[in-house]
Amino acid sequence: MALPIINSIASWILKKRIHQMELFMKYPNEVQEELLMNLIRNAENTLIGVKYDFASARNYRAFAERVPVSTYEDLEPLIEQTRRGEQNVFWPTPIKWFAKSSGTTNAKSKFIPVSSEALEDCHYKAGKDLLCLYLNNNEDSQLFTGKSLRLGGSKQLYADNNTFFGDLSAILIDNMPIWAEFSSTPSNKVSLMSEWESKLAAIVQETIHENVTSFAGVPSWMMVLLNRILEETGKGNLLEIWPNLEVYFHGGVSFEPYREQYKKILPKSDFQFYEIYNASEGFFAIQDTNDSNELLLMLDYGIFYEFIPMDTFGTPNQRVIRLADVELNKNYAIVITTNAGLWRYMIGDTVRFTSLDPYRIKVTGRTKHHINVFGEELMVENTDTAIAKACAITGLEVIDYTVAPVFMQGREKGAHEWIIEFRHAPEDPEHFRKTLDETLQTLNSDYEAKRYNNMTLNPLVLNVARPKLFYDWLKEQDKLGGQHKIPRLSNERHYLEQLKAMQLDGLMA
């Protein structure tokens, strides 16, 4: 069958899903309420369901009154029971897969349960919806005439008591239908290679001769791969290698610090960038229109959403609200209940709503990744946007960064200390430092108030990182590739001091 015909048939099938999306956009709160009741009914006879008497829970209020909000540490004993082979603990169908995730904020590994329902009705469904939305918005797309270059995790699956764990991407690849591999590159074998640097070389060799029409992966690591491909081929931009490129599906970290770098190596006026918001715990939101920075919250993936206003988070007055009660432009921590048995689970992310009809969001950071030592309420969204704007003004490119407080000592005022790795070191670091500080003040009124006349905060401190500092730090932590990322903001100086020590060692070597 000719490729254009395959493209047309696939497009027709995927677009049928649009009508179901329109239903949850029209009746969002009803869809969510019904979904919660279905989750509760399904889990009535599990250990959790019996403990909290799900059988008598007839509405959201009853559910919220008896089931506490939980963290991974709260659920870990139950997860470990299931990993040892016990079933029907928090979900009625067998849990065989666990997405291993440690992040950069916690050295201890987490094992997030992944049910067959979560695979089919959340992760795979979201993958289809992403294509559906993209094709609906781009009717002339020729996406299926070529392959998608995917860059996922770098860990294979490991067996343990008849259960399996590994990166979520490895679980997804292991369970994909065989036809899915034909539309992707590199091969499953290369995609699941464990050693990052060998994997990078193998991906280059497998993909440069393919007809790649799309990319999918985390912006920071994808940029490393694409720059390697340009070096290997000696080409000036990616269109010289893959002339039919049309879209990059990205997520995992904010795209803003990288947007201009991607535009430079993809000089095509109608090239599309589509953002997704997913994690080991589930797939949550998808960009649903071209040229947008807002994500449509997907409400029929077996995930029930609740939110904690960040102005009450972690305080005695902490509140938990339903989707129906959220407000525009306020920061919320997300709480989810899922079809993999996570009950009122805090995933650690923060979002704000940009639209209530339909519900659209922007990811603003992590509950642990912010700085509020001096009342400045600095979020990752602020610093990512400030970096992007400062780069646009100064003509520089940032590879990675992290920020920590400089604590007050005696009469010495506090400040924020940054380590930034540039693609090319700035000739005038002071100009960039001043631009960044001023830009940040325009984006965050609390930071501006603390910086006014240096009343509480001194000007930010800028350290220009040596080349590959952040790469070397991640390598030392065994966190190269996949979903691993640099902790952008912290209320303490642990990461910053480690990086400064590595910086000094590297310069002295």
Side-chain angles (χ1 to χ4, degrees):
M1 188 181 294
L3 284 176
I5 297 176
I6 296 174
N7 193 71
S8 299
I9 293 173
S11 299
W12 177 77
I13 293 171
L14 290 166
K15 286 178 183 177
K16 291 174 68 177
R17 166 69 174 143
I18 286 292
H19 301 298
Q20 292 170 307
M21 294 186 201
E22 289 171 348
L23 182 67
F24 77 64
M25 284 191 273
K26 188 174 182 180
Y27 304 105
N29 300 310
E30 292 85 351
V31 167
Q32 278 279 282
E33 189 80 20
E34 182 181 355
L35 188 153
L36 175 63
M37 290 301 105
N38 286 337
L39 293 174
I40 290 172
R41 296 285 80 81
N42 283 336
E44 281 182 7
N45 297 318
T46 63
L47 190 151
I48 281 279
V50 172
K51 178 179 180 180
Y52 294 117
D53 191 18
F54 281 2
S56 68
R58 292 287 178 262
N59 52 44
Y60 167 73
R61 183 176 178 181
F63 169 74
E65 284 176 349
R66 62 187 73 177
V67 181
V69 172
S70 60
T71 63
Y72 181 81
E73 287 69 29
D74 297 325
L75 297 182
E76 186 177 24
L78 297 178
I79 290 173
E80 285 304 306
Q81 278 181 243
T82 306
R83 288 189 65 219
R84 290 194 299 268
E86 188 176 339
Q87 295 294 344
N88 205 43
V89 176
F90 42 76
W91 191 245
T93 60
I95 302 287
K96 295 191 296 182
W97 300 287
F98 294 84
K100 185 180 179 184
S101 171
S102 62
T104 44
T105 59
N106 190 340
K108 186 176 181 181
S109 293
K110 297 179 182 179
F111 295 89
I112 306 299
V114 181
S115 65
S116 56
E117 292 89 346
L119 281 174
E120 292 297 331
D121 300 332
C122 183
H123 293 288
Y124 290 145
K125 186 176 181 179
K128 295 172 189 173
D129 283 355
L130 173 62
L131 296 175
C132 170
L133 288 164
Y134 173 74
L135 292 168
N136 190 61
N137 294 329
N138 300 276
E139 294 189 351
D140 296 329
S141 168
Q142 295 299 304
L143 194 65
F144 291 108
T145 62
K147 292 188 175 183
S148 174
L149 195 168
R150 62 188 179 190
L151 183 62
S154 55
K155 301 291 184 187
Q156 297 188 36
L157 290 174
Y158 300 92
D160 185 19
N161 289 320
N162 205 32
T163 62
F164 304 88
F165 67 88
D167 284 358
L168 176 66
S169 55
I171 294 171
L172 295 176
I173 289 170
D174 193 63
N175 287 277
M176 275 182 181
I178 188 65
W179 58 263
E181 184 172 0
F182 295 126
S183 62
S184 303
T185 187
S187 63
N188 287 359
K189 180 180 178 181
V190 169
S191 293
L192 294 173
M193 288 176 64
S194 295
E195 204 282 308
W196 166 252
E197 289 169 337
S198 300
K199 173 179 174 176
L200 207 60
I203 292 176
V204 172
Q205 295 308 312
E206 275 204 10
T207 58
I208 57 176
H209 301 298
E210 295 281 5
N211 175 28
V212 175
T213 54
S214 67
F215 303 138
V218 176
S220 51
W221 293 114
M222 183 62 78
M223 181 58 72
V224 172
L225 170 62
L226 297 179
N227 281 326
R228 176 74 66 87
I229 288 171
L230 289 174
E231 290 171 13
E232 289 283 330
T233 59
K235 301 296 185 182
N237 66 69
L238 295 172
L239 299 175
E240 295 177 28
I241 306 167
W242 300 304
N244 299 317
L245 278 172
E246 58 177 83
V247 61
Y248 172 32
F249 302 110
H250 61 85
V253 298
S254 170
F255 192 54
E256 288 311 306
Y258 304 99
R259 187 178 297 277
E260 293 307 314
Q261 296 177 50
Y262 274 93
K263 286 184 176 180
K264 188 177 291 186
I265 61 176
L266 290 161
K268 186 179 182 180
S269 59
D270 58 349
F271 189 87
Q272 296 292 338
F273 298 96
Y274 262 62
E275 185 174 355
I276 62 173
Y277 172 30
N278 68 328
S280 299
E281 294 87 353
F283 207 119
F284 310 122
I286 301 172
Q287 178 182 327
D288 65 317
T289 59
N290 288 345
D291 306 314
S292 171
N293 60 1
E294 302 176 3
L295 307 179
L296 178 69
L297 192 64
M298 307 304 285
L299 303 179
D300 62 351
Y301 286 177
I303 299 174
F304 178 77
Y305 293 98
E306 296 173 272
F307 302 89
I308 302 174
M310 283 302 289
D311 57 6
T312 71
F313 182 83
T315 72
N317 300 318
Q318 178 171 295
R319 296 185 299 124
V320 185
I321 61 176
R322 285 184 292 180
L323 182 63
D325 300 319
V326 300
E327 299 174 34
L328 287 175
N329 298 314
K330 290 186 69 172
N331 273 314
Y332 295 99
I334 302 181
V335 177
I336 60 173
T337 292
T338 77
N339 55 4
L342 295 175
W343 299 96
R344 305 196 84 196
Y345 177 82
M346 285 195 296
I347 62 173
D349 289 344
T350 60
V351 300
R352 76 182 157 81
F353 284 84
T354 57
S355 167
L356 302 182
D357 184 20
Y359 287 105
R360 290 196 179 98
I361 61 172
K362 288 187 72 174
V363 182
T364 55
R366 300 277 295 168
T367 55
K368 293 182 180 179
H369 283 195
H370 66 281
I371 300 180
N372 194 31
V373 173
F374 312 102
E376 65 272 52
E377 293 285 355
L378 196 68
M379 305 293 291
V380 173
E381 182 186 28
N382 302 145
T383 55
D384 278 343
T385 304
I387 282 280
K389 290 188 174 183
C391 284
I393 293 169
T394 59
L396 294 167
E397 294 180 10
V398 165
I399 293 175
D400 248 319
Y401 74 90
T402 194
V403 192
V406 177
F407 295 105
M408 295 178 178
Q409 292 185 350
R411 294 188 176 183
E412 187 62 35
K413 296 168 186 173
H416 289 173
E417 185 171 3
W418 294 60
I419 297 183
I420 302 178
E421 183 179 342
F422 297 88
R423 188 162 303 284
H424 302 289
E427 294 181 5
D428 187 357
E430 176 59 21
H431 174 52
F432 183 86
R433 186 201 63 76
K434 187 176 180 182
T435 303
L436 179 61
D437 198 22
E438 291 172 351
T439 303
L440 204 53
Q441 291 180 56
T442 67
L443 295 170
N444 183 309
S445 58
D446 291 318
Y447 180 74
E448 181 184 34
K450 302 300 181 292
R451 284 282 297 111
Y452 180 71
N453 287 336
N454 299 343
M455 193 172 296
T456 304
L457 289 176
N458 281 327
L460 67 83
V461 178
L462 172 63
N463 299 283
V464 177
R466 63 169 174 80
K468 294 188 70 178
L469 175 66
F470 289 96
Y471 186 95
D472 291 343
W473 183 79
L474 286 169
K475 185 175 183 178
E476 187 175 83
Q477 310 287 322
D478 192 27
K479 294 182 183 297
L480 286 179
Q483 299 293 315
H484 299 305
K485 39 195 173 271
I486 298 294
R488 297 298 199 202
L489 308 180
S490 177
N491 270 325
E492 43 88 32
R493 293 179 59 84
H494 176 68
Y495 305 120
L496 187 121
E497 293 296 350
Q498 282 187 344
L499 285 157
K500 287 179 74 174
M502 286 192 75
Q503 168 97 331
L504 185 61
D505 290 343
L507 294 175
M508 293 176 64

